[in-house]
Amino acid sequence: MSGERLLDIKSLSVTFGGLNALHDLDFHVDKGEIVSVIGPNGAGKTTFFNMISGMVTPTSGDIVYRGDSLLGLDPNQVTARGIARTFQNVRLFANMTILENVMVAQHCRTKVGVFGSLLNTRSFRREEEEIREYGKEVLGFFGSRLVGYRLDQTASVLSYANRRRLEIARAMATKPEIILLDEPVAGMNPKETEELTGLIGKLRSEWGFTIVMIEHDMKVVRDVSDRVVVLDHGETIAQGSYETVSNDPGVIEAYLGRPIEGNAS
Amino acid sequence: MSDTAMSAPADLAPARAPLDQDWRKVVNYGLVLGLALVFISLTGMPDGLNSRVIVEPWLSMGYLSLMWLPFAIGFAVTHEQVLEGMVQHKRGARELFAGAVVGLIGGLCLSLLVYLLDTRDLSDPLVNWNQPLLDFLTRDGSVGEGVLLWVGVSTALGLFGGLMRIVPALGSRLVRAVILTVVGAAAMEALIDDLSEGVWKLEGVVEWLYHPREGLEPAGAIALAIAAAFVVLWLGRQLKKGGAVYNLAREAQPLAVNAVSVVAVAAAAILLPIFLGRLTNDLLVNVGLFVLLALGLNIVVGLAGILDLGYVAFYAVGGYSVAILTSPTSPGISPTLPFWLAIFIVVGMATLAGLFIGAPVIRMRGDYLAIVTLGFGEIIRLTVRSDWASGLTGGAQGMLSIPGPDLNIGGWTLPLVGWTMPKLEVDLMGTNPQHILYVVMFFVAIAIYVSWRLENSRIGRAWMAVREDESVAEAMGINTVTAKLQAFVVGAILASFAGAVFAAKVGSIFESSFKILVSIVILVIVIVGGMGRIAGVVAGAFVLVGILGGPNQPGLMAEFSEYKLLIYGALLVWMMLKRPEGLIPNVRRSRELHQEEFLQDAWLRGEVDRDEAGSEATTDEGWAPA
Amino acid sequence: MTAAIRQRVRPRTAVDRFLTFLRFALTALVVFGLFAFLVQQFVGPDNPLTRFLNEDANRLDWDAFRGLLVSGLSQGSMYGLIALGYSMVYGVLGFINFAHGEVFMVGAMTGLITSNKLFEAGVWDDAFPVAILIAVLVSTICATLTAVLMERIAYRPLRGAPRLIPLITSIGVSFFIQNTSALLLGPGAKRYPLLPQWLRDDRGPTWLRIGGQKILVIVVAAAAMAALWYLVERTKTGKAMRAVAEDKEIASLMGIDVDRTIVTTFAIGGAMAGIAGILWGILFGSVTEFTGFLPGIKAFSAAVVGGIGNLGGAMAGGLTLGGSESLAPQLILEPLGVTGHTQLKDAVAFLVLIYVLLVRPTGLFGERLSAEDRA
């Protein structure tokens, strides 16, 4: 796992009204890695994602992606550079169709403007066709659940698990290099979890995405991660392979002394 | 929805006894009815609308303004929300009884008003507490007669409302068709008169239908009712067949059928104004202006979800730009450009205005944005009116002698061939409504095309994403600031077209045409029509502006001018409470607003995954984010 | 969730640069106008700078200035009273009750009807304090009822809807009430009976003589504000209101009747608007069905200027807004050479709102909102 360094985060801190949400965090992702970020509730994991995707500006530190700093970029610019994300509490465009959800995600990869759409130019039609096809391809990643007659249904009719899947599809549709998955299996039953775990592996092996994932389900973390980073109170308390981390006394303490394995979902 | 239109399932519980009522509800509805009747009476609406006759000499718009209420509330009180798993009873005498009781309570309230009108004098604060109202309510008879009349009529109508729940679907469709036809024919008398003029034989028929003064002849009304019934019973089925044929043809030959439809619509659009009189043309121009404005606001509010209450500002920008650029008497600079050249500059001005107003507000919270745009609208109007700007805009005196657009598109010669386009020998300058109507239709066509193309494009999808959830749209790579500004500017350009045509139509321009009121009326049209839906918005403009009238323009029912704003306000509230998706809902929008119900329906239809154990359809999202 | 908290590091896009330009331009205009005014006052109107901007520049004398200031403050205290209603409802429900201005109009209207009846009965002239007390009572009750009914009929069914939905509804309510007043009571201006002479007399030391009714308005507004402050900060009802404003769900778990608290909020806001309505009548002597519209919007602006959800801020915002719309035309616009500057009084009020939102979006004194509304 010694690919090219994609994302390099240096001594990142953020403060909300005196509260240190993240403190002096160092973090890096190499190309083709699957990194899991774990930690008890309130450890600052989601804040960490929000900061990478540009929704929160850090107080100090730097986020370097492929040699360029992401600081000061709007979320849409971060996405355009190649970092997509999903949300912990699924946030789909509930009243757009499933196909539209993945089509709209390709916004930053397309460029036909008002006049192109008005005049129905050839490039407009070609682009529409392209994003439609790519959208279907992305949806097809999840089997037959999101395609076929489903394409023109609104996202609001989907079941919870399918909403989560569509969220991932939407992130994939932005043609990213890194996907940030915020608790991808939360609320799923064991069968679904197992299936999605496999898919996360495929995201790397078949689609070539690099993945950073927040997850509470230790089984998933163990099965897919190359590396695990443990956050607590906004600080990195351990880092390394799953085995190293799960035996780290500091980590066990952070989880209230409970052994991590088995019952931490 | 439990509607009578639904075919009754077999497993209905037996009908309940008439006295087995939810008495609290019945009495509440009755009191609401009574209050509404008294309120409407005291607004002066019945008396003011009395001059508008529907069926001479039986029924006037004034009586109708009261009589629709017992019917509607009688119908409403018998509504029962039937959810899955609830026992559904057969409908019968109980519904009739509830309707009648509600009507009776309402009638008693109105009778109390009649009695009080006779014995007390409250005319000091209440300006309509007067003899004419009493005379109206008693039909010039005694108080006793008035009481008897209203108790009887109201009870009967309430009963009738309840009856609509019992009769099969066809019956209620018949009643609806008959009522709409008769009232519609009476309302559109001027229009029909106008259209039939000079047409062979039709003029005679129309003369027979209508009373010489106003309103339908009784025989004419009956004939229309029979015709309406006939349409529902026979023609309705034929039409459905025709529609199916059309759809089949369209599937087989989409291009040809679409081309034929476009040609047919275009031909109708070109021919129609010629057959219309001045009044009708004028009316249609007003409707067209509001269609244009509403389509523009629909992009801003309906698609992008930005509540712009200062939309009138762009209307003003269009109007004033044209006035300054084309009028020879405008103060300051007066280049007297031709209208069509000025339009290009108007587009530029509207774009600038859209950016200038849009940029500061675009990052604000949705509700702050509403108030600040409203403020911008007022700032622009006040500035235009002030002495300070009067060197350019004419201040409170406005600007006069704005020439209309020149439609005389002829006289040029095709090079090489040497063919000369024949010049249309018509005077198309100035304020002839017939010719302005062509201009309006031209711009409306543009607006419809623009709305339609953009809605189904990358930009339209981005707008919808912004409307659904702004911060997620941002995270999915959409530059929300750009997307919102684009919506703002496209909306601004459409409004400026309306302003330009308005200035050309009236031939003069004053700031009083651009009050906040205009923004609100456009908003009402968009909401009543159904946010985000093109056809709905067009229909909304036709119904509201065409019949009731715009903020400064009379509609077909000029008698309503005093009351239309009250009706608009009530309509807006009612729409938001009962049907936020508008009368002709956009499927998309209505899903957003009735999400839970839809989810439930979808679940019932088996469209929601049930195969996935442990993941039931969740309805926890509730309202979708604004 | 803190997803939407965003701090801007540096201007990046064209929009940002344009906003920065606007901020600077507006600030520069204000500063320059004020500077020109000071030059005109202390150097004299005949210097080249003043003449260059405004050919007819004149000194503003103290009496005129005092007049403007006092009428600005008295109007501002009225805006403040109305703004309290906006602020409280926004704090609790998170939406702009556009129709609150009409509640104020209802207060002014019913106050007018009562006063005229009392005038006809002779009470107005014989026992003015009794008459005005009755008028205040009636108009407060009517305004409160209007506000409560409004909440019950139009807003309660929309609890939890996206915030634009109740806003649009309230626009409809506003329209409805306005036109109801025009149709039931007749359109056009209606006059209050004349105030007794002793109240209209100017009072105070010679250098600070103020019209009696203006003193009355300011004093009553201050008293109402003090009573409200006591209610919100010191009583159980106030505690419940603050809890509901912070988090409805948790408040209801703590045994607070949320519906009732919201009704109370509307009622208190309505009562304040009713008092403001009577004060309007005393100050201007006439009411139309449109009386509520502009002052309503301005009062909302005042609430935003002071920081929405912040009650002290609402009052301060009202005074700021009233003062600036009364003084700014003379102090800033005229020295800048704007002719007919008084016609732009209303525009100034909106400009203040835009300026504050551009420069300090949380208002001068900071907003107090629940986390979900801040987003």
Side-chain angles (χ1 to χ4, degrees), chain B residues 26-52:
Chain B
V26 170
V27 171
N28 275 344
Y29 273 60
L31 288 177
V32 165
L33 170 63
L35 255 168
L37 288 174
V38 170
F39 175 78
I40 290 182
S41 301
L42 287 177
T43 57
M45 210 188 290
D47 197 27
L49 296 179
N50 203 16
S51 58
R52 179 81 192 205

Side-chain angles (χ1 to χ4, degrees), chain C residues 102 105 173-182 289-290 293:
Chain C
E102 310 310 330
M105 187 271 286
V173 172
S174 164
F175 241 57
F176 186 79
I177 297 181
Q178 230 176 65
N179 288 288
T180 298
S181 164
E289 70 270 24
F290 302 118
F293 194 70

Side-chain angles (χ1 to χ4, degrees), chain C residues 15 56 61 66 71 128 142 146 152 155 161 216 231-232 238 245 251 254 260 262 271 297 318 331 341 361 373:
Chain C
V15 173
D56 322 310
D61 62 7
R66 188 190 59 212
S71 57
F128 178 74
C142 289
T146 312
R152 184 70 197 81
Y155 304 145
L216 181 72
L231 186 87
V232 173
M254 296 294 126
R260 219 175 112 184
I262 289 172
I297 297 171
L331 261 58
H341 49 79
D373 290 333

Side-chain angles (χ1 to χ4, degrees), chain B residues 487-564:
Chain B
F488 231 79
V489 168
V490 172
I493 291 174
L494 293 184
S496 75
F497 285 157
V501 177
F502 173 75
K505 178 207 162 212
V506 182
S508 57
I509 196 161
F510 304 98
E511 49 80 33
S512 59
S513 311
F514 303 105
K515 290 187 171 162
I516 300 174
L517 179 65
V518 181
S519 300
I520 312 269
V521 169
I522 305 169
L523 180 69
V524 177
I525 294 173
V526 171
I527 286 181
V528 169
M531 284 191 267
R533 173 140 178 134
I534 299 171
V537 167
V538 174
F542 265 90
V543 171
L544 292 182
V545 179
I547 292 179
L548 292 179
N552 303 311
Q553 297 83 358
L556 265 179
M557 303 264 222
E559 290 83 0
F560 268 104
S561 60
E562 217 178 313
Y563 314 105
K564 64 190 170 197

Side-chain angles (χ1 to χ4, degrees), chain B residues 351-563:
Chain B
T351 308
L352 277 182
L355 290 174
F356 188 85
I357 296 181
V361 302
I362 222 75
R363 287 225 180 86
M364 291 175 186
R365 279 182 216 144
D367 42 5
Y368 276 24
L369 184 145
I371 300 290
V372 171
T373 46
L374 187 148
F376 265 118
E378 272 300 89
I379 289 176
I380 287 186
R381 186 179 70 83
L382 289 165
T383 313
V384 160
R385 191 181 65 179
S386 72
D387 293 347
W388 184 46
S390 63
L392 191 64
T393 63
Q397 276 74 49
M399 279 178 279
L400 306 171
S401 57
I402 301 164
D406 186 357
L407 288 187
N408 223 333
I409 41 167
W412 44 270
T413 309
L414 207 63
L416 296 176
V417 188
W419 176 75
T420 307
M421 170 96 174
K423 206 170 161 93
L424 296 166
E425 288 305 326
V426 274
D427 174 28
L428 292 172
M429 302 287 281
T431 55
N432 185 337
Q434 195 179 3
H435 303 142
I436 285 288
L437 184 55
Y438 285 116
V439 182
V440 170
M441 286 198 295
F442 172 69
F443 284 115
V444 167
I446 291 183
I448 291 178
Y449 180 77
V450 167
S451 309
W452 170 64
R453 292 283 341 157
L454 289 183
E455 194 183 337
N456 300 304
S457 74
R458 168 178 178 263
I459 309 226
R461 282 191 298 268
W463 286 338
M464 284 187 269
V466 169
R467 179 189 75 197
E468 300 279 307
D469 189 331
E470 206 178 322
S471 54
V472 174
E474 178 83 30
M476 287 302 127
I478 295 165
N479 188 337
T480 52
V481 171
T482 313
K484 283 159 98 179
L485 271 180
Q486 275 168 338
F488 231 79
V489 168
V490 172
I493 291 174
L494 293 184
S496 75
F497 285 157
V501 177
F502 173 75
K505 178 207 162 212
V506 182
S508 57
I509 196 161
F510 304 98
E511 49 80 33
S512 59
S513 311
F514 303 105
K515 290 187 171 162
I516 300 174
L517 179 65
V518 181
S519 300
I520 312 269
V521 169
I522 305 169
L523 180 69
V524 177
I525 294 173
V526 171
I527 286 181
V528 169
M531 284 191 267
R533 173 140 178 134
I534 299 171
V537 167
V538 174
F542 265 90
V543 171
L544 292 182
V545 179
I547 292 179
L548 292 179
N552 303 311
Q553 297 83 358
L556 265 179
M557 303 264 222
E559 290 83 0
F560 268 104
S561 60
E562 217 178 313
Y563 314 105

